[in-house]
């Protein structure tokens, strides 16, 4: 088996925080006087907070000063934090825990590669931190996805070569980051939003070690 480590994105892969990000950004858009659809939100998935704001402002055709941008990004984050503060392990997406436990039993290393600066707080809220051998989040990287930095740092911390890593991602920027890192990648979601993924699966309910082995033997 050529896979020695699995690297998981957080938002949209382990837990569905994407909808909380969406509602928070929609609030900011509405305040600025324009609407923001779920289809448009696809462009923000996996993208860092400030890059997300730039995309939002481009959609709303707004030009604002840096100080106001910083203030909007902080307000969005405070809204987001207020939505996620009551998250519980019940919000972990179906099949995730069983798959992580199976990987652990088979000796596959497990890493997190998230653009979010809130990733560790979320892992703690859903009681999943201990299952990860390495956690790389938005505080540990300087270049956002699709730059490969987040996944290369993860591989490095795990001591595994990129070609032996498999990334699970729900965002195009993340799939591109994994490919740019020279890693294998399985998309989570719908194929039309995840070009260049080797395989696309709807979620982890039907994912297990035997299936992984059949795909990557
Ligand atoms: P924060 P992931 C990403 O997390 C989200 O998909 C993206 O929508 C968000 O803007 C980004 O984290 C930054 O999050 O504002 O919490 O630092 O998908 O890479 O786990
Ligand atoms: Mg994601």
């Amino acid at each position: 088996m050529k896979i020695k480590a699995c690297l998981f994105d957080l938002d949209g892969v382990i837990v569905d925080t994407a909808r909380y990000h969406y509602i928070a950004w929609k609030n900011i858009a509405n305040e600025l006087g324009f609407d923001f659809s779920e289809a448009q939100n696809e462009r923000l998935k996996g993208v860092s907070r400030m890059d997300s704001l730039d995309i939002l402002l481009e959609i709303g055709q707004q030009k604002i000063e840096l100080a106001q941008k910083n203030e909007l990004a902080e307000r969005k984050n405070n809204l987001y934090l207020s939505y996620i503060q009551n998250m519980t392990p019940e919000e972990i997406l179906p099949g995730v825990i069983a798959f992580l436990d199976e990987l652990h039993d088979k000796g596959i290393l497990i890493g997190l590669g998230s653009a979010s600066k809130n990733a560790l707080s979320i892992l703690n809220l859903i009681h999943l931190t201990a299952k990860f051998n390495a956690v790389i989040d938005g505080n540990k990287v300087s270049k956002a996805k699709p730059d490969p930095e987040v996944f290369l740092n993860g591989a490095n911390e795990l001591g595994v070569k990129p070609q032996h890593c498999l990334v699970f991602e729900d965002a195009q920027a993340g799939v591109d980051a994994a490919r740019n890192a020279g890693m294998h990648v399985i998309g989570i979601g719908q194929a039309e939003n995840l070009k260049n993924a080797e395989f696309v699966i709807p979620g982890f309910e039907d994912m297990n070690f035997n299936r992984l082995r059949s795909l990557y033997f």
Side-chain angles (χ1 to χ4, degrees):
M1 173 102 155
K2 48 189 169 185
I3 305 302
K4 296 187 166 59
C6 286
L7 292 167
F8 292 81
D9 174 53
L10 179 68
D11 291 330
V13 171
I14 302 277
V15 80
D16 186 15
T17 41
R19 67 198 163 99
Y20 298 124
H21 281 294
Y22 170 61
I23 300 166
W25 283 127
K26 191 175 159 67
N27 256 287
I28 299 290
N30 292 165
E31 248 178 57
L32 293 170
F34 64 95
D35 208 7
F36 177 54
S37 72
E38 283 197 59
Q40 288 168 326
N41 185 57
E42 282 299 316
R43 290 179 62 194
L44 270 49
K45 287 189 178 172
V47 176
S48 72
R49 197 179 307 162
M50 285 313 276
D51 289 353
S52 297
L53 178 58
D54 283 336
I55 295 171
L56 191 81
L57 294 172
E58 182 201 310
I59 288 168
Q61 297 179 317
Q62 310 258 331
K63 279 210 169 20
I64 60 171
E65 298 295 317
L66 183 63
Q68 197 195 346
K69 272 170 70 170
N70 288 335
E71 189 264 319
L72 285 175
E74 191 185 332
R75 204 131 46 83
K76 181 267 171 181
N77 193 49
N78 288 336
L79 276 174
Y80 175 69
L81 290 176
S82 72
Y83 302 150
I84 64 167
Q85 66 173 343
N86 295 322
M87 274 181 85
T88 66
E90 274 161 34
E91 290 187 54
I92 297 169
L93 289 169
V96 168
I97 295 178
F99 186 54
L100 291 177
D101 287 344
E102 205 186 0
L103 290 176
H104 177 76
D105 290 347
K106 302 288 183 188
I108 306 272
L109 293 169
I110 299 172
L112 190 91
S114 168
S116 175
K117 293 187 169 165
N118 299 303
L120 202 51
S121 317
I122 294 169
L123 282 186
N124 287 334
L125 279 168
I126 59 176
H127 304 167
L128 226 51
T129 315
K131 295 198 189 285
F132 288 83
N133 303 103
V135 173
I136 311 295
D137 64 14
N139 301 297
K140 287 191 180 173
V141 294
S142 55
K143 288 172 252 156
K145 300 171 185 176
D147 189 280
E149 186 184 10
V150 64
F151 294 129
L152 289 174
N153 283 359
N156 195 33
E157 238 180 72
L158 295 171
V160 175
K161 291 200 175 91
Q163 63 266 35
H164 293 134
C165 292
L166 169 62
V167 171
F168 290 92
E169 255 293 347
D170 72 315
Q172 187 64 55
V175 169
D176 294 339
R179 296 312 258 167
N180 289 335
M183 297 179 180
H184 299 280
V185 57
I186 292 183
I188 305 291
Q190 293 177 343
E192 64 263 32
N193 299 324
L194 297 162
K195 297 187 180 65
N196 303 324
E198 290 171 307
F199 306 99
V200 177
I201 58 174
F204 291 97
E205 270 172 313
D206 297 319
M207 196 58 187
N208 53 47
F209 185 74
N210 276 342
R211 186 151 175 225
L212 200 67
R213 200 162 43 185
S214 72
L215 296 175
Y216 288 102
F217 193 65

